[in-house]
């Protein structure tokens, strides 16, 4: 299927179904809206030293109190919940579900502040239709990597690709999933010059992490590793290509850091610039 042109749009404006643009306006306290939860699951956490939790979820489309149907990635926050309340709502809110909200305005970053959540007795037909469309698989066909399938929750296109004779995972991470061209260009540049980038990312990992290994991660009675030995443990597992030339490469650490992944990041313009361990 083709991705609707106005599915994901910038936070500064929203598109309506008739093609008009509407500037963000401050939502009135007590305004009621009906929204469609997107693919990303609800989450919750504490902000700063607060004892209360904030529940966070995202609409991909919603109908305003005055009847407009808007589409976009709209963050919603319900603040001041205790841990049990937040956990319960995380279970109740599911992807592609319609919710009725009473909102208390917006945060300075544009998130809707939730005052009350309910469930519509009669689903909105337009939201139902959009949910059905967005649950269909979206595959980006590419000349170099074949078909990459969209993970809507993460705004990534996922697939596999050949790196140095080994099949690895490849993801395109897009600011706007409707426009993956920039991330695809990053991936193409990396894979068309694999030998060059393999040298760069491995050299970065060695420079940043070999001292860490030898100073803090040696097993009992283990001798410090040489650069050659360290390199021999590194094996690329996955690459995430991002907009504007940015990339992240994940290595299997070969037990160098006892199962933690090695992560190297950088850009086409600056090369591999940072390495760390994760997981």
């Amino acid at each position: 299927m083709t991705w609707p042109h106005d599915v994901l749009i910038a936070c500064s404006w929203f598109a309506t179904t008739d093609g008009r643009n509407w500037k963000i306006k401050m939502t009135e306290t007590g305004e009621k809206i009906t929204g469609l939860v997107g693919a990303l699951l609800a989450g919750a956490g504490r902000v700063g030293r607060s004892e209360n939790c904030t529940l966070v979820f995202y609409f991909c489309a919603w109908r305003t109190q005055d009847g407009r149907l808007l589409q976009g990635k709209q963050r919603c926050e319900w603040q001041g919940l205790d841990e049990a309340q937040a956990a319960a709502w995380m279970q109740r809110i599911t992807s592609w579900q319609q919710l009725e909200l009473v909102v208390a305005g917006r945060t300075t970053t544009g998130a809707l502040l939730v005052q009350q959540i309910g469930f519509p007795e009669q689903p909105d037909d337009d939201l139902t239709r959009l949910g059905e469309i967005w649950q269909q698989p979206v595959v980006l066909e590419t000349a170099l990597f074949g078909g990459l399938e969209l993970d809507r929750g993460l705004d990534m296109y996922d697939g596999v690709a050949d790196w140095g004779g080994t099949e690895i995972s490849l993801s395109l991470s897009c600011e706007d999933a409707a426009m993956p061209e920039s991330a695809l260009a990053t991936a193409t540049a990396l894979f068309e010059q694999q030998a060059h980038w393999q040298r760069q990312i491995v050299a970065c990992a060695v420079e940043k992490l070999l001292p860490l290994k030898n100073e803090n991660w040696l097993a009992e009675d283990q001798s410090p590793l040489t650069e050659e030995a360290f390199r021999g443990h590194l094996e690329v597992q996955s690459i995430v290509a991002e907009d504007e030339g940015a990339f992240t490469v994940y290595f299997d650490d070969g037990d160098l850091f006892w199962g933690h992944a090695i992560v190297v990041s950088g850009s086409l313009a600056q090369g591999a610039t940072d390495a760390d361990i994760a997981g």
Side-chain angles (χ1 to χ4, degrees):
M1 62 165 288
T2 10
W3 188 260
H5 74 281
D6 56 353
V7 166
L8 289 177
I9 44 189
C11 292
S12 59
W13 63 278
F14 299 117
T16 61
T17 51
D18 62 5
R20 292 174 295 165
N21 297 338
W22 297 83
K23 294 291 185 182
I24 285 181
K25 65 181 182 67
M26 291 303 295
T27 306
E28 299 295 334
T29 300
E31 183 174 342
K32 297 178 181 179
I33 66 173
T34 301
L36 177 67
V37 179
L40 190 64
L41 297 176
R46 293 185 175 87
V47 179
R49 298 183 179 180
S50 173
E51 294 183 359
N52 294 321
C53 295
T54 296
L55 178 75
V56 177
F57 56 94
Y58 290 85
F59 283 156
C60 58
W62 64 101
R63 190 177 296 282
T64 63
Q65 187 165 283
D66 60 11
R68 288 176 291 143
L69 182 63
L70 306 180
Q71 301 177 46
K73 192 173 183 179
Q74 175 60 61
R75 181 181 173 102
C76 303
E77 297 183 6
W78 195 359
Q79 301 176 355
L81 303 178
D82 62 36
E83 191 172 330
Q85 290 173 322
W89 278 105
M90 285 174 61
Q91 294 295 320
R92 295 186 71 184
I93 296 176
T94 59
S95 299
W96 314 118
Q97 176 186 46
Q98 293 186 31
L99 300 176
E100 288 183 341
L101 302 186
V102 178
V103 298
R106 289 186 182 270
T107 68
T108 56
T109 56
L112 289 177
L113 283 171
V114 177
Q115 184 176 324
Q116 183 180 329
I117 298 179
F119 300 91
E121 293 183 6
Q122 183 64 40
D124 183 290
D125 290 340
D126 289 325
L127 294 178
T128 298
R129 176 182 58 82
L130 289 172
E132 291 171 350
I133 291 173
W134 290 333
Q135 288 180 77
Q136 297 175 27
V138 175
V139 177
L140 175 67
E141 294 294 343
T142 71
L144 189 57
F145 310 113
L148 304 176
E149 185 167 346
L150 178 64
D151 181 336
R152 290 184 179 85
L154 298 176
D155 289 342
M156 285 187 176
Y157 290 89
D158 296 325
V160 295
D162 180 274
W163 186 266
T166 300
E167 186 178 88
I168 67 167
S169 298
L170 171 66
S171 297
L172 307 183
S173 180
C174 313
E175 182 69 25
D176 183 340
M179 295 187 292
E181 293 84 4
S182 180
L184 178 58
T186 302
T188 301
L190 289 172
F191 278 80
E192 286 183 342
Q193 300 183 59
Q194 288 188 27
H196 166 76
W197 288 107
Q198 175 72 11
R199 288 193 297 270
Q200 277 224 17
I201 60 180
V202 169
C204 182
V206 171
E207 178 188 355
K208 304 285 187 180
L209 299 178
L210 178 57
L212 178 66
K213 168 64 179 178
N214 286 335
E215 291 168 12
N216 300 302
W217 289 83
L218 292 177
E220 189 175 352
D221 299 327
Q222 183 182 9
S223 300
L225 268 65
T226 64
E227 286 192 18
E228 183 179 358
F230 189 90
R231 290 170 183 269
H233 285 268
L234 300 179
E235 183 178 342
V236 175
Q237 282 193 318
S238 62
I239 294 177
V240 179
E242 304 169 38
D243 293 334
E244 299 181 356
F247 61 81
T248 306
V249 181
Y250 295 85
F251 288 87
D252 183 325
D253 77 334
D255 211 31
L256 287 171
F257 297 99
W258 308 341
H260 293 269
I262 290 176
V263 184
V264 176
S265 57
S267 69
L268 298 177
Q270 297 181 339
T273 56
D274 195 25
D276 207 343
I277 58 174

